[in-house]
Amino acid sequence: MEQAVIFAYSFDGKGGAEPLEGSAISECIKSDAIAWVHMNADHPETRVWLEREVSYLDPFITEALLAEETSPRLTEIDGGALLFLRGVNLNEEAAPEDMVSIRLWIDAHRIISVRKRRLKAVRDIEARLLEGKGPKDAGDFVSHLVAKMFNRFEPVLAALDEATDNVESDVLEDASVEQREQIVDVRKQAIVFRRYMAPQREAIAQLYGSELPWLSPQNKRHLQESFNRVKRYVDDLDAIRERAQIVKDEIANILSDRLNKNMYILSVIAAIFLPLGFLTGLLGINVGGIPGADDENAFLIFGGILVIIVAAQVAIFKKLKWF
């Protein structure tokens, strides 16, 4: 099991960072240097560490960071921000729509991030810091993280849109029950993604419009761009959801029409054979007086009569435009 503190860094203000361990984390996080501490919410020592090292924080913040379930939102507290976001789940054998939460406390000098499951966007930021091309301060960090999370979401949304296109194309050729299951799965994914992306849009808009002192005009421009992207994502998810519902209804209509056509054909066949069955049943009773019982040509004559009846029925059905 991972430690309570997964990793920690001290920003150098130029895009790079120095790793921190042990007591160095405590010293840095209490100084004016910009420190980032990434923690495991499921570790039993995480709560103890937070209460000991950042005791100045409101207990509400600690409880929020360690909550079992979270929804994207932003809460401003004393010049800092409690920010909850959701990123697409790209872990192995995981469903992308099972979005991973990242809980953040950010102020001018401290960044505390808490997660329950791995989020690749966090590792992207760490890799950039180690290359010397990462965020320079808290404002840079949050704008970089949001952009990285949305970059990860872009191909997932494109794949969902392509899956919708493929089902639509297949339905035009030949609708099937399997396609209905596929489009239901696409619609389910779109609904789940939107459930988190819509409040995330509002959180980014609130962050962009905030007066937090550590957000520079450049940071806000980047957040504005991220807001435009997430707004487009929500619109695209709405469109995918509506298209999926239309395709689902179309598949249901095609399958229903196919079933009705088959039932119609069976009904016509049954109507044709109904008088034939009546006549053969009537002549098949074992009582005296059956016509033609002693005539060796009776079977041929009766067969001919049946053929004439069928021909007459077909002619009548065509005149009535039954087929």
Side-chain angles (χ1 to χ4, degrees):
M1 184 178 182
E2 290 179 320
Q3 297 298 315
V5 177
I6 301 171
F7 60 73
Y9 289 97
S10 173
F11 290 12
D12 63 10
K14 299 178 182 179
E18 291 293 329
L20 300 174
E21 293 183 1
S23 60
I25 300 176
S26 300
E27 294 174 4
C28 187
I29 207 168
K30 293 174 182 176
S31 69
D32 289 337
I34 301 175
W36 174 26
V37 183
H38 188 54
M39 307 193 72
N40 180 2
D42 292 327
H43 198 284
E45 292 297 319
T46 298
R47 179 182 295 274
V48 176
W49 191 95
L50 288 171
E51 292 175 348
R52 182 182 68 244
E53 301 297 340
V54 285
S55 57
Y56 62 88
L57 291 181
D58 191 307
F60 158 77
I61 298 173
T62 301
E63 292 299 328
L65 290 173
L66 299 177
E68 284 297 321
E69 294 294 332
T70 63
S71 179
R73 70 178 190 270
L74 172 71
T75 304
E76 297 181 47
I77 304 175
D78 297 331
L82 186 64
L83 178 63
F84 293 171
L85 299 171
R86 289 267 180 163
V88 64
N89 192 344
L90 298 177
N91 294 312
E92 293 183 5
E93 300 181 358
E97 66 270 20
D98 184 20
M99 300 185 77
V100 180
S101 68
I102 180 76
R103 306 100 181 269
L104 299 157
W105 167 257
I106 306 174
D107 58 34
H109 303 290
R110 279 156 292 275
I111 303 166
I112 299 173
S113 57
V114 181
R115 59 87 165 156
K116 284 182 170 289
R117 292 173 292 174
R118 290 181 175 86
L119 184 63
K120 291 187 180 296
V122 171
R123 292 297 182 179
D124 291 342
I125 298 294
E126 182 188 18
R128 296 287 290 178
L129 283 171
L130 295 176
E131 293 173 0
K133 301 177 182 178
K136 299 178 178 63
D137 52 33
D140 266 1
F141 175 87
V142 71
S143 61
H144 276 66
L145 179 63
V146 170
K148 292 292 184 183
M149 291 175 68
F150 292 162
N151 285 342
R152 292 283 187 176
F153 184 72
E154 187 90 35
V156 175
L157 182 61
L160 194 64
D161 187 60
E162 183 179 358
T164 308
D165 290 340
N166 291 338
V167 177
E168 283 181 325
S169 176
D170 293 342
V171 167
L172 294 176
E173 296 179 2
D174 185 24
S176 66
V177 176
E178 290 76 13
Q179 290 166 352
R180 182 167 59 184
E181 294 174 353
Q182 292 172 8
I183 203 65
V184 167
D185 185 58
V186 168
R187 190 166 189 271
K188 177 183 174 183
Q189 290 184 59
I191 290 172
V192 175
F193 279 135
R194 193 191 186 284
R195 182 185 304 163
Y196 292 113
M197 296 304 288
Q200 195 143 282
R201 174 188 58 189
E202 304 307 320
I204 300 303
Q206 188 179 349
L207 183 62
Y208 164 73
S210 69
E211 297 298 330
L212 294 168
W214 39 269
L215 280 176
S216 68
Q218 183 179 11
N219 298 149
K220 290 192 173 185
R221 285 195 296 272
H222 290 158
L223 289 172
Q224 175 66 37
E225 181 62 27
S226 294
F227 170 76
N228 292 336
R229 291 177 67 185
V230 72
K231 183 177 181 297
R232 176 171 59 83
Y233 293 160
V234 173
D235 292 341
D236 288 347
L237 289 170
D238 285 337
I240 290 173
R241 186 175 58 174
E242 292 172 4
R243 287 170 57 200
Q245 183 60 43
I246 292 172
V247 173
K248 179 177 175 293
D249 292 342
E250 184 64 21
I251 292 173
N253 291 336
I254 291 174
L255 294 178
S256 178
D257 290 345
R258 186 180 298 168
L259 177 61
N260 290 337
K261 182 178 179 180
N262 293 338
M263 293 299 296
Y264 173 76
I265 292 173
L266 291 175
S267 298
V268 171
I269 293 173
I272 290 174
F273 281 91
L274 183 62
L276 305 185
F278 170 75
L279 293 175
T280 54
L282 180 63
L283 296 178
I285 57 178
N286 295 319
V287 296
I290 297 298
D294 299 324
D295 188 344
E296 61 181 12
N297 296 320
F299 177 77
L300 294 176
I301 295 172
F302 182 67
I305 293 173
L306 295 182
V307 170
I308 293 172
I309 291 173
V310 170
Q313 285 182 297
V314 170
I316 292 171
F317 289 167
K318 283 190 175 183
K319 186 175 181 179
L320 295 175
K321 297 182 179 180
W322 283 17
F323 63 81

